[in-house]
């Protein structure tokens, strides 16, 4: 399989590529004409940065429909000045909003992966803006009509300015207060617009959620945080999470421009701080979009649980925003667990596009494996808190073949509103485990290998973990450490199986987080 990178070049096709190197992809190229060229990727493909994006006749047909056949006109090209280029709602104002949303939505996994695998998501402080496990859904495109959406975004473009506009600020507080004020103004206008749409439709139902057009697996995503790295995969993976997001076009566009296009890898601490703090707004906005579909009393209950112990200004943020939104959900809930009902309804709605790549309930997962791995996934609390963030588990058959699984440790938090004091919000007694078929994550913390007839014993031993000494004993029994004479042969074997199972997504794992415990 061959992969290519899309690059900006000052030379046309037929001549050698001369890459235009700028800090951000929308910076002034310094030439009269830019050529977008495909360059053969000759470096080793590594999982931590590998983000395949398929080009084909279907995608070309979509692009023609959205950007060449759609009825609109461009009277002026945007400039490269920071206040324009850094704000997509200004730079692309003359492109139809539905087309812009569709462009990002059709491969939403790639769009979200841009920040999950990008330089912005490096380290604990950058990642503690998200929960360890949550599901992502999307608002259906075109709900308000093309002209209404275009007019609304044009009016709000100033309120949607992003930290990239202020470059590497050395006075982040000044800019932060401005962004906070802009966000509140935007939220007020947004929910006024949503109220208007619902007044016309008179129905707040799951018809507002994108179903992938019955064929696109990007309609539902699952995000896992692994303390100082993260992963995103298609589908609803794992047990129902504590939180979920429903992303609309302005959120998706700002996520990309905040964390990918506009993130300055050379920026100072002020720029990185503003970026991290602004992402709090986007997370809470996505969370509230999900809460809108719950009864009013359940909304407040969930929010209080998600932000237990958070500063008052954080707890009041969504409560203040909710005052601008007055519609009640039209979903008829039948139990005292409306969030679980909502998850079930969303799963049913999206069933045609939910794949089974990572599910244990597949034909190629033996019943005995499934039984015991599901028990492993039922472990909650301090035993779960002891194991690494990401563990690759291989189950060895009698003939020496292996089956490949990932054991993910999901850290529980009282809330995730703290920038630098995450440990004080940890709740290890509520930590959970997710077990999946195949590999999720680029940085394994440990390798466990067990013969299939000893799998029940491994699960029992994990459940009985109480201390670091217990885990050291466990690793002596099941671990494949760096010092193991079989280590590299074992590594080659699991990489070969991973490549066979996932030939497009495959890439070499990074071992710099392998634990020595």
């Amino acid at each position: 399989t061959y992969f290519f990178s899309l690059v900006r070049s000052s030379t046309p096709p037929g001549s050698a590529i001369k890459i235009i190197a700028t800090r951000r992809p929308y910076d002034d190229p310094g030439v009269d004409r830019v050529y977008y060229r495909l360059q053969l990727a000759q470096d080793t493909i590594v999982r931590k940065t590998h983000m395949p994006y398929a080009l084909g006749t279907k995608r070309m047909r979509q692009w023609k429909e959205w950007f060449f056949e759609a009825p609109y006109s461009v009277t002026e090209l945007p400039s490269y000045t920071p206040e324009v280029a850094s704000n997509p709602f200004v730079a692309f104002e003359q492109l139809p909003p539905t087309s812009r949303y569709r462009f990002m939505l059709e491969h939403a996994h790639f769009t979200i992966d841009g920040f999950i695998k990008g330089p912005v998501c490096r380290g604990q402080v950058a990642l503690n803006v998200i929960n360890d496990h949550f599901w992502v859904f999307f608002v259906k495109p075109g709900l308000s009509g093309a002209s209404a959406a275009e007019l609304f975004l044009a009016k709000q473009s100033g309120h949607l300015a992003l930290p990239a506009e202020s470059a590497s600020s050395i006075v982040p507080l000044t800019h932060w207060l401005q962004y906070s004020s802009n966000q509140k103004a935007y939220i007020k206008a947004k929910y006024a617009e949503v109220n208007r749409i619902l007044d016309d439709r008179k129905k707040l139902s799951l018809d507002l959620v994108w179903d992938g057009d019955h064929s696109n697996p990007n309609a539902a995503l699952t995000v896992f945080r692994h303390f100082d790295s993260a992963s995103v995969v298609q589908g609803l993976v794992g047990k129902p999470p504590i939180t979920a997001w429903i992303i609309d076009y302005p959120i998706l566009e700002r996520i990309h421009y905040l964390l990918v296009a506009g993130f300055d890898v050379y920026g100072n601490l002020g720029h990185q701080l503003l970026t991290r703090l602004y992402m709090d707004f986007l997370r809470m906005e996505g969370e509230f979009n999900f809460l809108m579909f719950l009864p009013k009393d359940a909304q407040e209950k969930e929010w209080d649980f998600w932000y237990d112990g958070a500063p008052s200004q954080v707890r009041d943020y969504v409560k203040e925003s909710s005052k601008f939104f007055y519609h009640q959900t039209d979903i008829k809930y039948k139990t005292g667990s409306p969030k679980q009902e909502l998850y079930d309804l969303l799963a049913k709605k999206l069933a045609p596009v939910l794949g089974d790549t990572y599910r244990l309930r597949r034909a190629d997962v033996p019943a005995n494996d499934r039984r015991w791995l599901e028990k492993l996934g039922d472990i909650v609390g301090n035993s779960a808190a002891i194991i690494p963030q990401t563990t690759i588990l291989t189950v060895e058959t009698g003939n020496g073949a292996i089956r490949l699984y990932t054991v993910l440790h999901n850290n529980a938090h009282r809330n995730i509103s703290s920038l630098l004091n995450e440990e004080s919000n940890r709740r290890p007694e509520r930590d959970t485990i997710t077990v999946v078929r195949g590999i999720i994550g680029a940085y394994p913390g440990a390798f466990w290998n067990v013969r299939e007839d000893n799998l029940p014993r491994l699960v029992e031993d994990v459940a009985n973990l109480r201390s670091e000494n217990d885990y050291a004993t466990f690793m002596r029994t099941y671990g494949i450490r760096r010092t193991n004479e079989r280590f590299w042969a074992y590594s080659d074997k699991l990489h070969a199986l991973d490549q066979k199972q996932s030939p497009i997504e495959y890439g070499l794992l990074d071992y710099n987080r392998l634990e020595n415990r």
Side-chain angles (χ1 to χ4, degrees), residues 222-444:
T222 299
V223 177
F224 290 98
R225 177 195 170 194
H226 320 299
F227 186 67
D228 55 4
S229 67
S231 303
V232 57
V233 295
Q234 292 176 339
L236 302 178
V237 181
K239 295 180 180 179
I242 299 298
T243 64
W245 302 3
I246 295 183
I247 292 179
D248 54 33
Y249 167 59
I251 296 177
L252 189 61
E253 187 76 271
R254 282 180 291 164
I255 284 176
H256 175 72
Y257 262 74
L258 175 73
L259 304 177
V260 184
F263 183 71
D264 185 357
V265 296
Y266 305 105
N268 64 16
L269 182 60
H271 169 72
Q272 296 177 21
L273 181 62
L274 280 174
T275 300
R276 162 61 178 79
L277 292 174
Y278 193 98
M279 185 59 196
D280 278 322
F281 289 149
L282 301 185
R283 183 195 68 248
M284 289 190 283
E285 190 178 341
E287 289 172 339
F288 186 69
N289 283 352
F290 174 79
L291 292 178
M292 286 167 52
F293 293 90
L294 294 176
K296 288 289 186 182
D297 57 342
Q299 292 178 18
E300 186 169 350
K301 179 180 177 182
E302 287 296 331
W303 188 257
D304 287 341
F305 179 60
W306 295 352
Y307 289 89
D308 177 31
S312 58
Q313 62 268 31
V314 174
R315 293 171 59 82
D316 293 342
Y317 174 77
V318 165
K319 291 183 178 181
E320 180 182 347
S321 301
S322 66
K323 295 177 183 177
F324 305 126
F325 180 73
Y326 55 74
H327 275 272
Q328 288 273 4
T329 179
D330 286 283
I331 300 173
K332 306 302 181 184
Y333 291 99
K334 302 175 182 178
T335 73
S337 303
K339 184 175 72 172
Q340 181 59 55
E341 281 191 72
L342 180 55
Y343 280 147
D344 292 341
L345 290 170
L346 285 164
K348 182 178 180 180
K349 176 183 175 70
L350 274 58
V353 300
L354 297 179
D356 64 352
T357 300
Y358 300 101
R359 292 180 181 175
L360 297 176
R361 294 185 175 272
R362 284 175 48 113
D364 59 354
V365 178
N368 189 65
D369 281 18
R370 182 164 59 246
R371 175 189 175 193
W372 291 103
L373 293 176
E374 287 178 347
K375 286 183 178 295
L376 180 59
D378 288 336
I379 295 173
V380 176
N382 292 320
S383 297
I386 290 174
I387 69 172
Q389 297 294 299
T390 306
T391 300
I392 293 178
L393 167 64
T394 47
V395 177
E396 192 171 340
T397 67
N399 62 8
I402 59 173
R403 293 188 290 270
L404 200 55
Y405 305 101
T406 304
V407 181
L408 299 165
H409 167 198
N410 306 312
N411 292 356
H413 298 82
R414 192 178 178 189
N415 65 75
I416 54 168
S417 62
S418 175
L419 178 65
L420 299 172
N421 194 22
E422 179 180 1
E423 189 60 30
S424 66
N425 287 320
R426 282 281 287 115
R427 289 296 179 268
E429 69 277 4
R430 299 205 303 246
D431 284 11
T432 61
I433 292 175
T434 300
V435 185
V436 300
R437 171 191 173 273
I439 292 180
I440 290 180
Y443 304 91

